[in-house]
Amino acid sequence: MNTGIALLAATAAVISVPVPASGQNPTQAPASAHANQPWRESKLPPEARAKAALAAMTLDEKLRLVFGFSDQALTDVAKVPADIVSPELKNYVITHLVKGSAGFVPGVPRLGIPDQTQTDASMGVRNSFIPSTAMPSSLATAASFDPEVPRAGGRMIGAEARATGHNTMLAGGINLAREPRNGRNFEYVGEDPLLAGTMAGALIDGIQSNRIISTIKHFAVNDQESQRTTLDVTIAAEAMRQSDLLAFELAIEQGRPGSVMCSYNLINGRWGCENDYLLNTVLKHDWGFKGFVMSDWGAVHSTAPAANNGLDQFTGFCCATDQPWFGPPAMKAALRSGAISPQRLDDMVERILWALFATGVVDNPVKVTPTDYVANAAVAQKAAEESLVLLKHDGDLLPLHGVKSIAVIGGNADKGVMAGGGSSDVTPVGGSVMIDQHTFLPSPPLAALSQELPRARIDFDTGADPAAAAALAAKADVVVVFVTQHDSEGNDGSLELSGNQDALVAAVAAANAKTVVVVESGGAILMPWAGQVPAILEAFYPGIRGGPAIARILTGKVNPSGRLPISFPASTDQLAHPQIAGLGPPFDTPTAVTYDEGAAVGYKWHDLKGYKPLWAFGHGLSYTRFVFSNFVAQADGRAIKLSFSIRNAGRRAGKSVAQVYVAPADWQAAAWEAPRRLGAFAKTELKSGKSQRIELSIDPRLLATYEAARNNWRIRAGTYRLMVGEASDAPMQTAEVTLAESIWSAATAQ
Ligand code: BGC
């Protein structure tokens, strides 16, 4: 049933178009039918189409686009008073939303403006009723150090979104791992702005290649979960622009998302979703963002202040208990009183329309089609194989071959691999395995190891009793012990492994020196047993084909090539904030945190303080080794151009991850936050004995500091040292470049 007509207000000019019975958009109409409806002309630029569609809309139609519903509206919107949501709108929502997904914004069928059907998130389509392919966690794919991995993943999960009737993904999580215990670090892409911006940008690009919208989130400095809805983050503009905001800036440039989701927290005393500085000044003015800002679910606190400070769309309304800040009555009252101008409402709607036209949502309506889950699982497996990080490998235990007996211990390795919790937790193909209320994906490493090593005898022990596990370990040639650390949206985690897992590893390692530890964690953990085992593989949350990826790396079918996108601290004393602000008191307790480490996040903080981490940013081993040579660099305008050769000096094919760090001769005189920054990186596959010349360039913003008073980027004149190597703590080839002073506006789009 379509009730769009009932919402038309008599005031606006209405172009009469028959309302399709199905509620689908009549976008395939012949050209002549577009005569009075220029927004349907796919050849026109999205700006012109958005303006034309806006001009044809009534007030009530405009208000539909700025007020979104959550999936829970299906059951609960009926109880909302009729003067807040009209019976027609309630009925439209209930009959059109995609059951089990994140949210829904009604379209305007009369004009061919589609409903927005929103699904979480970065690891795959989350719908309680529809199975989908779970990619490795975003942090894992960041460990690939290869943007083609998240791009391929984005293409795949975006195709699944489209095939299940969703035209908007709430995907593109990018908050920096400023707090290593942040329960959502697994949804984000690491601690470095260049790496994070590149990886999130590629994911968004991949998703939007399906002619749907992707939503970068959570804007901004939403770097911990404790008290996430009441936390007031104090951070200087300079620090923000050089850290969290730089990551967003790069990702938005590279991925061109249709929408940005503002965050729950307050930033410098202003809510993320009514933060004039972030939304109007930085995002829309300085960066020239043409799309729209949608709220996180429940992150709106007002009508006119939110709208005027940059929020374009309220999302997630469901129930009589919710505040309908952007509901039709509140918006009409604000328009009547002049608190919101008609121009501002038009701007909100035009931005939403622009995103729908620019990404191709309008011209390519989503429809439900079958999905090839086997092909998609292969994409997830490849991503995991590119992303797992071999942290330690002393001796020649790996790759495993010719082994007669293996003890596999712990981590529910007989049942599956761990996944993170919260809104990104997809319903996997094959069904979730729930253990202690945590989701495991049905991809058991035990079965995968048996498949890779059919002649080996493999015994399993749950690890519940370290003494029993050690007894089994003592009898085996080799032990593979799995440890898991659950992280979830809504809570911050701990660096310490839960339960008896540290004791388990120590007991097993004492019983058998040939012990490999496989870690499935959301982010960094402490490893008090690191010195007692010869090999450690960090698998993060490795996705729906995590089992085979782990087995193929352990057995050498795949040469490991992941590198850490975060530092693993050696202790909580090394953290910028040893205590998590707001941890402990009840949820929603007003809490303040001052990020006085500024832009010195992750390895930059470690460098600044002279701390030696447990595992350094960029670290990761291979079964082969690479040699760098002939490193040359030169200034190229404001940027730096550089090149070097890499040779695979080992006996196996493998992938090198070249990382170029840049350091001013005097970093304090250059006003940097820390002695060095990642300036560029590249992953290259090389056969044994082969070499390749790599050419890269360093973005001027990575050489500059941000000056808030004049809204400038500024590079200080001087000598800059460049270092290329395979990790932030690896031996480096060096080169030097002299840069002239350079100052330019940070309002790059103006
Ligand atoms: C999360 C968002 C998510 C939204 C919709 C919120 O709780 O913070 O990341 O997209 O829910 O599910």
Side-chain angles (χ1 to χ4, degrees):
M1 171 172 171
N2 191 299
T3 53
I5 280 286
L7 296 174
L8 299 183
T11 49
V14 174
I15 298 161
S16 168
V17 178
V19 179
S22 66
Q24 286 295 327
N25 308 313
T27 50
Q28 308 304 335
S32 57
H34 299 169
N36 292 323
Q37 304 169 358
W39 62 89
R40 294 189 193 257
E41 287 293 350
S42 55
K43 290 205 176 63
L44 287 179
E47 291 76 15
R49 298 177 74 186
K51 274 199 191 317
L54 177 74
M57 287 170 84
T58 66
L59 175 61
D60 283 317
E61 286 168 342
K62 292 176 186 174
L63 294 181
R64 282 165 78 94
L65 294 197
V66 301
F67 189 51
F69 295 80
S70 85
D71 160 64
Q72 215 186 315
L74 184 66
T75 47
D76 291 11
V77 79
K79 294 177 210 131
V80 173
D83 58 344
I84 293 175
V85 180
S86 69
E88 292 80 7
L89 185 54
K90 283 183 193 176
N91 187 45
Y92 188 91
V93 170
I94 291 168
T95 52
H96 287 72
L97 64 67
V98 181
K99 217 169 112 195
S101 52
F104 176 80
V105 183
V108 184
R110 177 183 78 88
L111 303 176
I113 305 303
D115 303 331
Q116 291 161 63
T117 42
Q118 303 162 325
T119 175
D120 288 300
S122 309
M123 272 69 85
V125 174
R126 175 188 162 84
N127 183 298
S128 356
F129 303 103
I130 306 173
S132 61
T133 305
M135 282 288 286
S137 67
S138 297
L139 191 70
T141 50
S144 72
F145 271 72
D146 180 355
E148 295 320 308
V149 171
R151 202 184 317 279
R155 274 198 293 270
M156 183 274 280
I157 66 173
E160 288 197 5
R162 160 170 284 283
T164 49
H166 303 98
N167 61 19
T168 304
M169 288 201 94
L170 309 173
I174 193 174
N175 299 87
L176 290 191
R178 180 181 290 278
E179 170 48 74
R181 295 157 295 188
N182 177 359
R184 297 188 87 170
N185 278 343
F186 75 93
E187 294 188 55
Y188 304 141
V189 273
E191 67 189 28
D192 178 78
L194 173 66
L195 179 69
T198 309
M199 293 298 168
L203 176 83
I204 292 164
D205 181 50
I207 291 172
Q208 292 197 161
S209 69
N210 292 286
R211 310 285 176 244
I212 62 172
I213 291 176
S214 190
T215 310
I216 194 167
K217 67 188 188 184
H218 309 89
F219 198 64
V221 209
N222 184 192
D223 296 343
Q224 67 170 65
E225 286 298 281
S226 301
Q227 308 299 349
R228 67 174 177 170
T229 52
T230 46
L231 185 76
D232 188 358
V233 168
T234 297
I235 182 167
E238 289 82 355
M240 255 195 289
R241 296 291 284 254
Q242 290 171 206
S243 61
D244 287 65
L245 294 188
L246 182 54
F248 274 98
E249 184 176 7
L250 296 171
I252 290 171
E253 276 169 19
Q254 291 168 32
R256 302 168 316 280
S259 53
V260 170
M261 184 188 287
C262 51
S263 59
Y264 284 124
N265 53 306
L266 298 98
I267 303 93
N268 296 326
R270 307 295 299 269
W271 295 107
C273 290
E274 54 182 82
N275 197 304
D276 179 58
Y277 174 71
L278 287 178
L279 306 182
N280 286 334
T281 303
V282 177
L283 178 69
K284 293 181 180 176
H285 178 267
D286 286 2
W287 300 346
F289 179 66
K290 289 185 179 170
F292 65 101
V293 176
M294 73 162 76
S295 67
D296 200 343
W297 272 226
V300 186
H301 298 271
S302 64
T303 303
N308 292 332
N309 287 313
L311 179 68
D312 301 307
Q313 184 184 70
F314 173 116
T315 49
F317 183 83
C318 71
C319 317
T321 48
D322 282 354
Q323 289 279 2
W325 295 116
F326 277 22
M331 292 301 285
K332 282 181 180 169
L335 288 163
R336 263 197 312 274
S337 72
I340 298 178
S341 67
Q343 293 78 9
R344 173 62 190 129
L345 175 65
D346 281 357
D347 176 50
M348 293 157 74
V349 177
E350 196 175 327
R351 286 173 171 279
I352 297 165
L353 291 168
W354 178 87
L356 292 168
F357 286 115
T359 53
V361 167
V362 178
D363 297 336
N364 305 272
V366 292
K367 59 172 187 271
V368 176
T369 51
T371 287
D372 182 348
Y373 290 116
V374 174
N376 288 357
V379 176
Q381 180 170 333
K382 168 107 173 37
E385 290 176 355
E386 293 278 344
S387 303
L388 272 53
V389 184
L390 184 61
L391 293 175
K392 181 172 183 184
H393 187 212
D394 287 351
D396 59 359
L397 181 54
L398 298 177
L400 301 174
H401 59 89
V403 185
K404 293 211 178 61
S405 64
I406 303 179
V408 174
I409 292 168
N412 297 297
D414 57 331
K415 301 201 172 67
V417 287
M418 188 166 250
S423 59
S424 67
D425 187 4
V426 308
T427 306
V429 175
S432 310
V433 182
M434 293 307 292
I435 302 169
D436 296 335
Q437 295 178 321
H438 299 156
T439 303
F440 280 73
L441 305 175
S443 180
L446 179 64
L449 270 171
S450 304
Q451 193 176 334
E452 292 300 326
L453 298 168
R455 288 201 210 108
R457 175 197 163 119
I458 303 187
D459 294 304
F460 178 73
D461 182 278
T462 63
D465 172 8
L472 180 72
K475 287 188 274 174
D477 288 348
V478 171
V479 185
V480 184
V481 56
F482 287 80
V483 293
T484 59
Q485 183 80 328
H486 183 70
D487 280 336
S488 176
E489 177 181 343
N491 301 294
D492 289 323
S494 161
L495 296 181
E496 277 165 36
L497 279 178
S498 61
N500 70 353
Q501 298 185 93
D502 283 335
L504 173 69
V505 178
V508 165
N512 190 328
K514 292 189 174 175
T515 291
V516 184
V517 184
V518 178
V519 182
E520 293 165 22
S521 67
I525 58 158
L526 302 177
M527 302 180 182
W529 32 261
Q532 295 155 37
V533 294
I536 305 171
L537 180 68
E538 173 61 62
F540 299 107
Y541 297 148
I544 191 67
R545 299 284 292 165
I550 291 168
R552 280 159 59 83
I553 285 178
L554 292 180
T555 56
K557 289 261 170 58
V558 171
N559 193 346
S561 64
R563 302 291 184 264
L564 287 183
I566 47 170
S567 311
F568 276 46
S571 72
T572 41
D573 297 343
Q574 291 188 338
L575 303 183
H577 303 272
Q579 307 293 329
I580 301 177
L583 184 69
F587 186 63
D588 262 0
T589 303
T591 304
V593 65
T594 300
Y595 286 147
D596 38 20
E597 73 281 7
V601 174
Y603 64 92
K604 295 171 185 167
W605 174 253
H606 285 254
D607 284 351
L608 187 65
K609 293 295 196 184
Y611 293 152
K612 186 173 161 26
L614 172 63
W615 306 113
F617 175 83
H619 169 72
L621 305 172
S622 164
Y623 295 146
T624 185
R625 67 190 179 86
F626 299 94
V627 176
F628 292 73
S629 61
N630 298 327
F631 184 27
V632 293
Q634 66 187 76
D636 177 29
R638 290 187 189 118
I640 293 177
K641 254 190 171 166
L642 53 95
S643 60
F644 51 88
S645 301
I646 311 179
R647 185 167 62 88
N648 181 344
R651 270 176 293 177
R652 290 168 167 267
K655 291 183 179 174
S656 156
V657 176
Q659 300 160 43
V660 180
Y661 295 87
V662 54
D666 181 342
W667 65 271
Q668 278 148 325
W672 280 28
E673 68 281 4
R676 62 182 175 156
R677 298 172 176 166
L678 180 70
F681 60 90
K683 191 169 197 175
T684 323
E685 181 160 25
L686 285 172
K687 297 221 166 83
S688 167
K690 295 286 177 203
S691 17
Q692 195 178 330
R693 188 109 192 120
I694 307 284
E695 289 181 11
L696 297 172
S697 94
I698 301 183
D699 187 297
R701 287 166 291 191
L702 297 169
L703 303 166
T705 53
Y706 173 75
E707 298 186 319
R710 284 179 297 271
N711 197 25
N712 280 337
W713 289 107
R714 175 174 175 196
I715 297 176
R716 306 290 202 289
T719 305
Y720 289 75
R721 193 155 173 254
L722 298 155
M723 296 157 280
V724 65
E726 278 228 291
S728 64
D729 64 347
M732 305 267 184
Q733 291 276 307
T734 60
E736 270 185 10
V737 169
T738 302
L739 298 177
E741 163 127 314
S742 185
I743 298 176
W744 70 100
S745 173
T748 38
Q750 307 310 312

